[in-house]
Amino acid sequence: MTAILDIQDVRKSYGSYAALKGVSLSVNQGEFIALVGPSGCGKTTLLKQIAGFEEPDTGRIAIAGADMAGVPAAKRPTSMVFQKLALFPHMTVAENIGFPLKLRRTDTAEIKKRVGQMIELMQLKGEYLTRYPRQLSGGEQQRVALARSMVSAPKLLLLDEPLSALDVKLKKVLQAELKRLHRSVGVTFVHVTHDLEEAMMLADRICVMRDGAILQLGTPADIYYRPAGSFVSGFIGETNLLPITISERTSSGLIYQAADIVDTDGRIAADLVAGKVAKGPALLMLRPELLRVLPPGETADGAIAAEVTEMFGKGGTVQYRARTPGGQMLVVEIPGTSSLPMRIGDKVRLGFTKKDIYVFGVEA
Amino acid sequence: MIARLEGRFIDIVLWGSLAAILIFFYIPIFTLIAFSFQEGRFLTLPFEGISLRWYGELFRNTNALNALWNSTLIAIITTVIATAIGTMAAIAAVRYRFRGTDAFRLLAGVPLAFPQLLLGIVLLLWFSVLGRMLDFSTGISTAIIGHIVYITPFAMVIVAVQVYNFDATVEDAARDCGASSFEVYRYVTIPLLWPGIFSAAIFAFLLSWGNFYLTYSLAGSTRTLPTFIFSGIAIGSSPLYPAIATVIFIPGILLVILANRLRRT
Amino acid sequence: MADEVPRSWRDPDLLIKALPTVLLQTTCFLAPLVMTFLLTFQRSRNFQLQWSWDLWTWTDVFSKPHYWTILGHTIFMAAATVAICLIIAFPIAYGLATRFKAWENEIKVLITFAFITDATLKIYGWALFLDKNGMANYALSSIGLPPEMVAFLYTDWATLLGMVYSLSAFAIFTLYLSISNIDRSLILAAYDAGAGKFRAHWEVTLPLCKPGIWAGSVLIFLLSVGAFLEPKVLGGGKSPMSAELIRQTFETRVNWPLGAALTLVLMVVSVFIVLLFSRLIGLKRAGLAA
């Protein structure tokens, strides 16, 4: 696999504010990558450097092997879908989609043909061609914006939170649409979003950013089950973080103590531990759906005693909150049809399997 | 009950004051239009008869025609220059940040709040002193400069409203589509700012076309329609002057309606 | 919207757009003002300007109460104009922003046209209307009222009428802008709190459109201290105001230094009054910002 986009140690400051503090990232041809993080994390800044609206202070950006330094946005083989869509309000749908071709001096018949293909690809109706953007619904405008970005056959499609302004239902439809589009055209997508759930649905790899730096780069499953730290783990869904103390670290794993956990051997294998963890305090992560209620007498790799304090039905599953004797709150999610339903006030034992846990250091 | 009565009362007050102010605003305008159709020589009532006599006189009066030509010439040149400079200043003032943004906005806008007569006098002094050094005297070109100084800020403010409501990401989008700086202006920025630029041009034309104070100070011996009328008031006038006034109103009302129509679409 | 990073003055985009304005207003506005200031230190002899660099003109200005009486009269008329304009503009602006929706554009066109039409014409129209043989008296006597009832042409009242006429549109537009920016729900909240309509507007609308009131007042005040046509044509030149005095100084007496000094005095005093009031009201830059 060849890298279509190669970013080497890119830094960018606005006055005294450092928006990107040395970012390196390599994206493969045909990949769908999501840049995720809270607002101000630098994800949109990074996208602007890739698109060429801004030049990084230092570092190198290469697209398809060519260094992009000094190449303006107009000359880069990239195409952007903007958060506010940025359709030209004074042009019809056909003029909007055909605009990149018109600028490349493509002849009229060819423009017409390619615009027609785009309309078909985006599943828009032919009669929309003569309408103006304001006469279309939000979802239709979105498709027009995508069509305009795709028409010039870019090597990289950059998406700057294009779905963030839509209502939940339409968002779901367009997420599926994006996924389909990515599969059918084979173009590399770089998708910026603050919604990790969206990134999980769409992306092959996710790049989590914070404060102008990359925290973690990995597959959706990595991000969910093997987060690099408590920030990433808390960024999607709910999770349980139990404080533990590591007394010994060896090449095969580590030995730990924890107030509330009854562990069979007190050991954790090395592949369940984030890289940097050393001796001392650390956090043990357990996703709510990986905890189960232990029937009396049954044992598990690890068990935690707790008292149920709250419960919420979530449709297919039921979520409980429980407190350990040490005062730690736990979230547990079990199927609604579970043979061991719990009630508020019940004292229970919650068990987990060793391979489901993950350990990382305490962040400052 | 009381609230309903209050509401009814407020409606009456509001529509009543609107009617009153419109009558107030249009009294002198209709007075002039009425007198322009007076058949007799004097501006007194009752009319001796209704006729278009003075409109005929107007088109035979070379001084009046000269004034008409001068007004038109000054207004057209002023409109083009003031609208161009004002549009650019509006983009700089609203969209750009640079050292001295506030000072720039103040400098660009302050002639709006400067009494025209005083502006005329200050400029007259300036041109007289410069004229003595560089050997020129006041005339049409100094009047045009004065008009531009005064009218550019108006044009800037009108375009600035349009710039303010303009989403700059469409320019980025155009650049991303492959447009050069020039193409961004040609296909996106100018077309989108056009309603604002067009109304600014109309206002600039009307402000210059009807301007009295600056022309009076700066045009030297050149007469425009407003200064021609002013001299007429002093001499003891005939219905020729109301007829000129009525002629001046016509392009005004047409252009204002047009500008308004454009801003709505 | 605006730049994230300040531009350098070497940026060609900025230069092309800002430089023409900067050049225009420095060479044809600031420089003339500075020169006007310098002229006040010269003298005028036999209708000729003499470069003498002394305080002779200023001594003259400060020793003649006549100039200051006229200035006081001018300020008074300007203040009266501001007050009347605000009072008559408020209902119109409020109506435009809230109740006249169906006719909003037509009303705006009518007001704009009346506003933008040249002042000379309109003042001339007023003179014809108010004249003792004019429209108003003709209309009144034709319905049986005694002749020459309207007899205030060539008084301060006529001047005031003309000034209010010329400038009230500024108040309508600035008030309209700030009233239409007020969040409707605030007024509804006031109703909800039990306020009647009048009370709600008194407590909510009025304080919130303070910037508009202020911007309109400053504009009208500054423009009316320079009023010239109204006192001359409608006031008959009987009680001259500063602008007329200044014009005479230039044209009739051909005394440039004195004219320049009087111009500066008028401007400085007006700006000082505006600043004083803005300090009193506690609205520092609202006027300029609006």
Side-chain angles (χ1 to χ4, degrees):
Chain A
M1 287 231 251
T2 50
I4 185 82
L5 171 66
D6 189 41
I7 299 170
Q8 296 283 336
D9 196 32
V10 161
R11 286 163 201 274
K12 178 78 184 173
S13 295
Y14 300 115
S16 59
Y17 172 69
L20 291 177
K21 301 168 182 165
V23 171
S24 299
L25 174 68
S26 182
V27 179
N28 295 323
Q29 168 66 45
E31 205 175 8
F32 194 139
I33 194 152
L35 304 178
V36 193
S39 56
C41 72
K43 57 190 191 297
T44 298
T45 309
L46 182 59
L47 204 66
K48 280 184 186 164
Q49 319 299 314
I50 302 172
F53 296 127
E54 291 174 1
E55 285 280 332
D57 299 336
T58 61
R60 178 174 176 276
I61 295 176
I63 297 174
D67 191 351
M68 287 291 127
V71 180
K75 301 269 181 262
R76 294 192 183 193
T78 61
S79 196
M80 181 119 149
V81 182
F82 292 82
Q83 184 170 17
K84 289 187 275 179
L85 301 187
L87 292 172
F88 306 119
H90 59 300
M91 297 184 195
T92 62
V93 167
E95 286 168 338
N96 261 287
I97 300 176
F99 188 64
L101 300 177
K102 181 178 166 188
L103 292 170
R104 286 171 179 73
R105 313 270 182 270
T106 314
D107 67 61
T108 329
E110 173 71 11
I111 293 182
K112 204 170 164 207
K113 196 182 111 206
R114 304 252 302 262
V115 170
Q117 288 168 349
M118 278 300 139
I119 287 276
E120 210 165 296
L121 182 66
M122 292 302 148
Q123 300 173 345
L124 282 162
K125 293 188 198 131
E127 72 231 43
Y128 287 176
L129 283 172
T130 52
R131 296 201 190 161
Y132 286 90
R134 63 176 177 278
Q135 296 167 307
L136 305 181
S137 72
E140 288 157 356
Q141 291 183 9
Q142 199 79 48
R143 288 160 203 256
V144 174
L146 274 167
R148 183 181 66 187
S149 307
M150 301 289 296
V151 77
S152 55
K155 292 200 169 86
L156 265 182
L157 188 70
L158 309 172
L159 301 112
D160 184 13
E161 305 205 36
L163 306 181
S164 63
L166 300 173
D167 65 69
V168 179
K169 218 173 144 191
L170 189 53
K171 204 177 196 173
K172 289 269 179 281
V173 173
L174 283 157
Q175 282 168 347
E177 191 81 348
L178 270 181
K179 191 86 181 167
R180 178 186 68 81
L181 189 67
H182 176 249
R183 266 201 315 271
S184 62
V185 296
V187 171
T188 311
F189 280 32
V190 179
H191 182 97
V192 159
T193 176
H194 61 266
D195 179 356
L196 189 53
E197 212 168 317
E198 179 175 304
M200 294 265 171
M201 272 188 66
L202 296 175
D204 300 325
R205 279 196 302 159
I206 294 172
C207 173
V208 183
M209 295 181 68
R210 185 195 188 185
D211 294 334
I214 294 179
L215 282 186
Q216 189 174 5
L217 176 65
T219 63
D222 281 345
I223 304 285
Y224 191 76
Y225 292 112
R226 304 279 183 267
S230 60
F231 176 79
V232 178
S233 76
F235 205 62
I236 180 169
E238 282 179 282
T239 191
N240 296 302
L241 297 178
L242 295 137
I244 58 173
T245 310
I246 296 167
S247 53
E248 210 178 313
R249 169 131 214 198
T250 63
S251 56
S252 64
L254 48 80
I255 298 174
Y256 78 104
Q257 286 82 40
D260 294 321
I261 302 173
V262 182
D263 194 321
T264 46
D265 59 3
R267 281 172 188 281
I268 296 172
D271 63 338
L272 299 175
V273 179
K276 309 180 284 236
V277 178
K279 269 166 86 164
L283 292 168
L284 183 150
M285 184 189 86
L286 263 171
R287 290 285 178 189
E289 65 275 18
L290 298 176
L291 278 168
R292 63 201 154 86
V293 187
L294 292 177
E298 193 178 318
T299 54
D301 293 355
I304 307 165
E307 182 186 330
V308 178
T309 58
E310 276 175 87
M311 62 179 282
F312 315 91
K314 289 183 84 180
T317 61
V318 186
Q319 192 180 81
Y320 295 90
R321 300 200 175 233
R323 187 191 288 115
T324 67
Q328 169 87 28
M329 289 304 298
L330 292 177
V331 185
V332 186
E333 201 161 313
I334 59 177
T337 56
S338 167
S339 55
L340 283 171
M342 303 189 282
R343 275 190 301 268
I344 291 174
D346 282 0
K347 291 197 161 55
V348 293
R349 280 188 315 135
L350 301 168
F352 59 85
T353 309
K354 209 52 132 333
K355 70 174 173 38
D356 291 341
I357 65 171
Y358 198 63
V359 172
F360 43 75
V362 180
E363 280 167 27
Chain B
M1 187 62 208
I2 291 176
R4 278 192 63 123
L5 272 178
E6 262 189 357
R8 174 63 54 84
F9 181 72
I10 288 178
D11 265 345
I12 293 172
V13 169
L14 291 181
W15 286 100
S17 23
L18 177 68
I21 201 117
L22 287 178
I23 292 172
F24 177 56
F25 277 168
Y26 281 87
I27 278 180
I29 292 171
F30 282 117
T31 304
L32 287 169
I33 294 176
F35 272 115
S36 74
F37 295 109
Q38 150 78 312
E39 164 124 42
R41 168 77 185 76
F42 299 104
L43 293 170
T44 49
L45 289 157
F47 287 175
E48 288 168 29
I50 307 281
S51 85
L52 294 173
R53 172 187 162 196
W54 295 101
Y55 287 92
E57 298 272 331
L58 170 63
F59 288 104
R60 280 190 294 277
N61 185 321
T62 45
N63 285 333
L65 289 179
N66 247 330
L68 177 71
W69 165 245
N70 289 332
S71 282
T72 314
L73 183 71
I74 293 176
I76 288 174
I77 298 176
T78 303
T79 301
V80 172
I81 300 178
T83 309
I85 300 181
T87 300
M88 294 187 290
I91 295 175
V94 176
R95 292 264 301 275
Y96 295 177
R97 269 206 305 144
F98 45 91
R99 268 186 56 188
T101 314
D102 287 337
F104 175 77
R105 288 181 189 157
L106 187 66
L107 178 71
V110 78
L112 273 181
F114 204 81
Q116 281 188 61
L117 181 84
L118 298 187
L119 180 61
I121 284 171
V122 166
L123 276 171
L124 174 64
L125 288 177
W126 178 242
F127 290 135
S128 307
V129 170
L130 281 187
R132 207 170 286 178
M133 288 194 279
L134 305 171
D135 195 33
F136 66 86
S137 56
T138 53
I140 279 202
S141 28
T142 47
I144 290 173
I145 294 175
H147 281 207
I148 292 172
V149 171
Y150 170 62
I151 291 168
T152 302
F154 272 96
M156 178 186 80
V157 169
I158 294 170
V159 179
V161 174
Q162 193 83 22
V163 177
Y164 194 79
N165 293 323
F166 175 93
D167 176 10
T169 49
V170 295
E171 290 183 344
D172 276 346
R175 223 163 280 143
D176 191 62
C177 288
S180 64
S181 300
F182 172 75
E183 283 167 331
V184 172
Y185 272 96
R186 177 170 160 208
Y187 292 119
V188 176
T189 314
I190 303 285
L192 286 176
L193 291 182
W194 186 244
I197 298 175
F198 193 73
S199 3
I202 287 173
F203 270 77
F205 184 88
L206 292 178
L207 283 169
S208 170
W209 167 257
N211 185 284
F212 165 74
Y213 285 106
L214 293 167
T215 315
Y216 179 64
S217 297
L218 298 174
S221 57
T222 309
R223 285 278 162 80
T224 62
L225 288 176
T227 53
F228 184 70
I229 290 177
F230 182 74
S231 63
I233 309 176
I235 310 167
S237 36
S238 72
L240 177 66
Y241 296 94
I244 297 176
T246 310
V247 169
I248 298 181
F249 293 150
I250 296 166
I253 191 80
L254 292 179
L255 288 174
V256 171
I257 291 172
L258 190 63
N260 195 272
R261 185 87 21 105
L262 267 168
R263 232 176 324 168
R264 258 188 301 169
T265 52
Chain C
M1 185 73 235
D3 290 338
E4 280 169 19
V5 197
R7 286 172 194 247
S8 144
W9 271 99
R10 259 168 293 183
D11 180 340
D13 258 3
L14 175 61
L15 276 187
I16 289 174
K17 295 190 182 83
L19 205 59
T21 298
V22 171
L23 287 180
L24 176 73
Q25 302 299 3
T26 43
T27 58
C28 296
F29 184 74
L30 284 186
L33 274 183
V34 171
M35 196 207 59
T36 306
F37 178 66
L38 296 181
L39 272 183
T40 62
F41 299 104
Q42 322 309 331
R43 287 198 209 186
S44 171
R45 272 206 203 104
N46 303 323
F47 304 124
Q48 288 296 316
L49 181 68
Q50 290 190 335
W51 297 85
S52 55
W53 299 104
D54 58 24
L55 290 173
W56 194 87
T57 304
W58 286 107
T59 323
D60 184 41
V61 168
F62 284 103
S63 60
K64 292 227 177 78
H66 174 62
Y67 302 143
W68 297 91
T69 316
I70 290 178
L71 180 65
H73 180 62
T74 306
I75 301 285
F76 175 78
M77 293 291 276
T81 307
V82 170
I84 299 172
C85 283
L86 288 179
I87 292 167
I88 65 174
F90 192 81
I92 311 297
Y94 179 74
L96 265 178
T98 57
R99 304 250 171 158
F100 303 159
K101 280 288 169 246
W103 296 94
E104 198 184 332
N105 272 293
E106 287 73 11
I107 296 168
K108 277 195 213 156
V109 166
L110 285 173
I111 295 177
T112 310
F113 174 68
F115 161 69
I116 206 158
T117 302
D118 173 46
T120 340
L121 301 181
K122 293 181 295 192
I123 297 306
Y124 179 44
W126 274 114
L128 292 178
F129 183 78
L130 295 174
D131 191 71
K132 91 179 170 321
N133 299 316
M135 285 270 179
N137 279 319
Y138 182 75
L140 290 178
S141 56
S142 67
I143 57 166
L145 290 164
E148 295 184 24
M149 265 188 75
V150 177
F152 64 93
L153 186 61
Y154 307 135
T155 65
D156 272 355
W157 293 109
T159 307
L160 200 57
L161 178 132
M163 289 168 63
V164 168
Y165 179 85
S166 302
L167 298 169
S168 50
F170 280 111
I172 294 179
F173 288 134
T174 50
L175 283 180
Y176 163 71
L177 279 180
S178 61
I179 295 175
S180 33
N181 285 334
I182 294 175
D183 186 352
R184 271 293 291 171
S185 56
L186 291 177
I187 294 167
L188 295 180
Y191 292 156
D192 196 49
K197 291 208 161 168
F198 286 116
R199 186 66 191 275
H201 290 305
W202 184 257
E203 302 274 358
V204 178
T205 314
L206 215 55
L208 284 178
C209 63
K210 237 173 165 185
I213 296 176
W214 180 241
S217 308
V218 170
L219 256 178
I220 293 173
F221 181 78
L222 290 177
L223 293 174
S224 56
V225 294
F228 162 69
L229 274 171
E230 294 87 353
K232 185 157 175 81
V233 177
L234 298 178
K238 279 186 201 156
S239 59
M241 291 177 36
S242 291
E244 172 67 5
L245 172 71
I246 291 170
R247 197 194 57 86
Q248 280 175 8
T249 314
F250 280 108
E251 284 187 10
T252 322
R253 297 170 62 184
V254 201
N255 188 336
W256 290 6
L258 182 60
L262 292 174
T263 305
L264 286 179
V265 167
L266 179 60
M267 277 162 23
V268 169
V269 169
S270 319
V271 171
F272 178 75
I273 290 172
V274 168
L275 292 179
L276 189 74
F277 268 84
S278 68
R279 186 57 62 83
L280 285 180
I281 302 174
L283 266 164
K284 273 187 206 133
R285 283 161 39 102
L288 284 175

